[in-house]
Amino acid sequence: MSGFFKSKFFYIVAVLTLIAVIVPTVLCSMGLTPVLRSAVNTVLMPVQKLSDKAAGAIEGFTSYFTAFDRLKEENVRLKKEIASLREEVAGAREIKEKYDWMSDFLELKMLHHDYKLVPAVISGRGSANYSNVFMLDAGKLSGIQRGMPVVSGDGILGYIAEVGPTWSKAVSVMEASSSVGAYVERSGAIGVVEAEYDLSLEGILKMSYLDEDADIKVGDRILTSGYGSVYPRSLVIGYVETVKTDDLTRSITATVRPASTLDQVSKVMVVTKYEVYAEEP
Amino acid sequence: MKYTRKSRNAIGSENDTTFVSRLLGKFNSWRLSFSIDGQAIAKGVIIAVFIVLFSITQTTLLSRLRPFGAVPDLLLPLVVAVAMSEKEKWGAVVGLISAFVIDALGGVTVMLLPLLYVPVGIFCGLLTTYRFRDSIPVAALFTAVTCVLRFFVSFLLALFTVHGATPLQALLDFALPGLYANLIFAVFPHLFVRLAMRPFHKTRAERTEENDRVF
């Protein structure tokens, strides 16, 4: 065995090995590429490139199996992240809702300086499908009394019909028994907005008692006139959808789509105090 | 015009007077006790194909898949397999070429692999010639030992070349995964070399027959 280490072959191999270690290392550290190394790379590069493409395809196939554990972990992590983001979104939605409501509140307050508003949350709705009654979480202790109007930022909703210490019951304008004194904002034509059973099923109000020559068009905004004991003047009731003239009596009736409906709001305001204006529309 | 078929002589044989045979004759006259003949050229071509095949596989497919989180070294078991099959001189030459090729393709800047591959080729060849028989358990033993050597080399290289790697990180992230991958994937070079080199060796039955004739 020792004869091998004394042979010419061994010496040559040993020298070549040292050259193979030292020369490329030194040249690479100097930023140069050894010719032989460059030749090996040049010759084998096309094969390597081709093989790498094939390897890419194989990797794509095998990654389904090899990456299973990683994907499983990632899935668990992403699920947690989604749950956390959902919570954040719910929080943000709540904040936005609150902001919208506060904004409406502020707008209403800016338009009507004389109003004293008490915020309330709709805590329940009528137990029967024909009922247009809703419950509020504020009552006498908040200064709410029977007959006070309930409004949202968009318009009127109804009036307080029953009050308890910490709760109150309100009747919607869609209730067949209620009627509101109203006028057309554009022309000042006066009438009465009331609910009719047939129309209320479609969520529409009827405006009647308009003069023969009343100027009313589709799209006109209808406001409260302030006549009567419930609603203050200039609150939005809704928008005219159709106008009809009776051939016999020549009286005009219009249908009005309410600006605010119960299914759109969850927070409302009760107008506990307002100035009564003497001027007429 | 009449064409006559020239008789071809085996490369390196006495009657062969072509340029290649003269060149080989010159090489053999250097007395390296490493003669090149037709069979040696055939073996060389096969082993060269293996070197290219395994180095390409290692630097493309396996470097993407990273079994056990590491790229297995296929050329080290190839050197062991060749050294066991073709003895120490082939082991040394194949070790030197393999180390150079894999260093070149792998794009490393510190080339230390020849210092591992060449001694592995020499010692595996010498031990197979003088101490052990070329068998599967011996091949497994040699491979395991060389994989452990490779483990230490990987550990040192990771420690000194990967910026900011602690000894524990070098051990757990580089050396140990490399050891597992090398041990598992060493089967393939051994299998390929044994199958490819079988035609060049006498079978057990042939050896028994020869021995019977001698005695």
Side-chain angles (χ1 to χ4, degrees), chain B residues 6-215:
Chain B
K6 283 184 181 177
S7 64
R8 285 192 173 177
N9 299 310
I11 296 169
S13 67
E14 284 177 17
N15 297 326
D16 184 13
T17 53
T18 59
F19 173 73
V20 177
S21 64
R22 280 204 302 276
L23 199 70
L24 293 179
K26 189 111 180 161
F27 177 82
N28 291 336
S29 70
W30 290 352
R31 293 181 189 191
L32 292 170
S33 57
F34 192 80
S35 61
I36 295 179
D37 54 7
Q39 204 178 51
I41 289 172
K43 280 182 193 175
V45 169
I46 291 168
I47 291 168
V49 169
F50 282 159
I51 291 172
V52 171
L53 177 76
F54 288 126
S55 58
I56 295 279
T57 308
Q58 189 179 321
T59 54
T60 55
L61 181 67
L62 294 176
S63 69
R64 275 174 181 265
L65 297 179
R66 299 180 76 85
F68 303 101
V71 183
D73 189 342
L74 296 179
L75 293 181
L76 190 59
L78 178 74
V79 173
V80 174
V82 170
M84 288 184 71
S85 170
E86 306 305 316
K87 307 301 176 271
E88 63 275 4
K89 284 167 189 166
W90 276 97
V93 173
V94 171
L96 183 61
I97 296 169
S98 299
F100 187 79
V101 170
I102 200 65
D103 271 348
L105 284 180
V108 292
T109 49
V110 180
M111 275 145 281
L112 293 176
L113 289 185
L115 292 177
L116 174 68
Y117 282 30
V118 174
V120 161
I122 291 171
F123 281 105
C124 286
L126 285 174
L127 288 171
T128 314
T129 310
Y130 297 104
R131 290 278 182 273
F132 301 100
R133 212 160 44 86
D134 180 10
S135 63
I136 291 172
V138 174
L141 177 73
F142 284 0
T143 305
V145 172
T146 52
C147 284
V148 171
L149 286 173
R150 185 75 171 91
F151 161 82
F152 285 113
V153 172
S154 300
F155 175 72
L156 291 173
L157 282 173
L159 197 62
F160 294 112
T161 58
V162 178
H163 181 69
T166 62
L168 191 67
Q169 284 172 327
L171 183 75
L172 296 177
D173 296 344
F174 299 100
L176 271 177
L179 178 66
Y180 303 142
N182 288 346
L183 284 170
I184 299 291
F185 280 82
V187 175
F188 299 105
H190 277 285
L191 194 69
F192 276 64
V193 169
R194 276 175 184 277
L195 288 174
M197 293 300 153
R198 183 171 276 183
F200 298 106
H201 298 291
K202 287 172 184 167
T203 60
R204 187 176 287 177
E206 282 172 342
R207 280 203 300 269
T208 318
E209 197 182 321
E210 202 176 59
N211 288 341
D212 289 347
R213 235 185 287 133
V214 170
F215 295 107

Side-chain angles (χ1 to χ4, degrees), chain A residues 110-248:
Chain A
M110 280 168 76
L111 278 171
H112 308 280
H113 300 283
D114 54 317
Y115 287 7
K116 192 181 173 195
L117 301 165
V118 172
V121 173
I122 297 176
S123 55
R125 290 160 208 262
S127 55
N129 56 6
Y130 50 81
S131 169
N132 282 301
V133 174
F134 53 99
M135 300 292 291
L136 301 178
D137 68 345
K140 276 181 188 165
L141 293 175
S142 306
I144 295 172
Q145 287 175 12
R146 196 166 175 268
M148 285 179 172
V150 182
V151 297
S152 75
D154 294 326
I156 61 165
L157 282 168
Y159 63 92
I160 300 293
E162 202 180 328
V163 190
T166 56
W167 59 270
S168 52
K169 194 184 280 179
V171 176
S172 164
V173 284
M174 298 304 294
E175 184 68 26
S177 59
S178 69
S179 59
V180 186
Y183 72 95
V184 180
E185 187 185 33
R186 182 179 55 80
S187 63
I190 305 167
V192 173
V193 172
E194 54 195 356
E196 269 193 4
Y197 178 71
D198 290 343
L199 290 173
S200 69
L201 291 176
E202 295 171 38
I204 295 170
L205 296 164
K206 181 183 166 188
M207 187 172 183
S208 48
Y209 302 108
L210 285 157
D211 288 341
E212 283 177 27
D213 55 348
D215 183 6
I216 184 166
K217 286 178 186 171
V218 173
D220 277 343
R221 192 157 78 153
I222 308 299
L223 306 179
T224 53
S225 64
Y227 296 136
S229 56
V230 178
Y231 299 102
R233 188 179 163 78
S234 300
L235 284 173
V236 179
I237 299 172
Y239 297 89
V240 175
E241 273 205 345
T242 59
V243 179
K244 193 178 163 189
T245 308
D246 191 287
D247 292 337
L248 291 172

